[in-house]
Amino acid sequence: MADYVNGKTDWFAHGLPREGETENVAYAGELVDEHPPTCHLESSVAEVADLLEQSAYGYCLIVNQQRVVLGRLRRSVIAGADPTASVESAMESGPSTVRPNTPARELAERLRAQELRTAVVTTPGGRLIGVFWRERLEAPDDQAGSSS
Amino acid sequence: MPDSVDLNGVKRLLQNGAQLVEVLPPAEFAEEHLPGAVNIPLKSLDVSSAAQLDRRRPVIVYCYDAL
């Protein structure tokens, strides 16, 4: 016999499937964009600027080889930064993240209250699952605009 | 004494045909549980309730979290 010590909270926090009465309640992890702009610590600010040029995102997420989120570089910071500088020197470390089993409607309301449009969704260990866009709950087929 | 397993351990055991048992009360099980799990609340866990399990396959028990 084996004891899954971390229990179902851990399972759901990794965005894994579930059964039960809440099966039809949308969770944030099910509605994310799985391919937001990402780069590595060694990337340059100029590379990120290129990456964001045609992107709806207002930031790039810095991840390691395991896709663990290390930081975020905002478009507004890029404008005033040395383009040859490394992302590491310009990024903000450890951006706020949420777990994929956060109910999507609840998360959208939280974002609205804080006047934010997106939330970075990760596993408890920080591995990037994707980015949740508040607007997607209201208009799932719409392309999102700029982010905050 | 059961062995403690983490998420990767659970996935490995499930690939080998393990059975999942949630030991929380029925209402919490009904609300949300792992796919394929059966509910045997801790208070009713005995020889009789455990008889529904396949003795030839590994068993993984879980509750809400580590606390």
Side-chain angles (χ1 to χ4, degrees):
Chain A
M1 185 183 293
D3 180 7
Y4 180 19
V5 181
N6 292 327
K8 61 181 177 181
T9 302
D10 181 60
W11 180 272
F12 300 134
H14 281 84
L16 294 167
R18 62 205 152 106
E19 290 177 350
E21 292 161 359
T22 63
E23 205 173 337
N24 296 324
V25 174
Y27 279 178
E30 297 156 6
L31 300 175
V32 295
D33 171 10
E34 294 174 359
H35 303 287
T38 59
C39 66
H40 297 292
L41 283 174
E42 306 77 30
S43 307
S44 70
V45 169
E47 285 169 332
V48 174
D50 288 345
L51 196 63
L52 292 181
E53 196 173 25
Q54 302 295 323
S55 173
Y57 283 83
Y59 57 79
C60 178
L61 294 170
I62 293 86
V63 298
N64 67 11
Q65 296 296 332
Q66 289 74 43
R67 273 176 72 82
V68 171
V69 177
L70 304 173
R72 170 167 52 187
L73 185 55
R74 293 178 188 274
R75 195 191 292 268
S76 56
V77 172
I78 291 172
D82 174 1
T84 64
S86 72
V87 159
E88 187 172 11
S89 66
M91 73 179 192
E92 56 179 290
S93 297
S96 299
T97 60
V98 298
R99 303 291 79 76
N101 58 328
T102 307
R105 196 159 294 283
E106 179 188 308
L107 179 57
E109 283 166 14
R110 272 163 47 191
L111 290 171
R112 192 174 296 113
Q114 297 171 64
E115 298 183 353
L116 297 172
R117 300 179 73 190
T118 65
V120 180
V121 181
T122 71
T123 66
R127 189 177 54 78
L128 178 63
I129 291 176
V131 170
F132 175 86
W133 285 81
R134 194 183 82 199
E135 291 92 340
R136 290 200 173 175
L137 208 57
E138 292 136 12
D141 297 328
D142 285 358
Q143 277 291 93
S146 63
S147 67
S148 55
Chain B
M1 192 72 179
D3 295 328
S4 297
V5 287
D6 61 9
L7 180 60
N8 289 330
V10 170
K11 287 178 176 174
R12 270 196 303 274
L13 285 168
L14 289 175
Q15 282 171 354
N16 292 325
Q19 308 160 86
L20 285 162
V21 178
E22 180 168 318
V23 296
L24 291 167
E28 291 187 41
F29 176 80
E31 190 177 305
E32 201 168 55
H33 55 265
L34 274 61
V38 296
N39 185 211
I40 307 180
L42 204 52
K43 285 182 179 173
S44 62
L45 181 57
D46 55 22
V47 173
S48 157
S49 61
Q52 64 183 288
L53 300 173
D54 183 344
R55 286 174 169 271
R56 295 162 302 182
R57 293 160 56 202
V59 174
I60 306 166
V61 294
Y62 71 89
C63 59
Y64 195 72
D65 56 26
L67 298 177

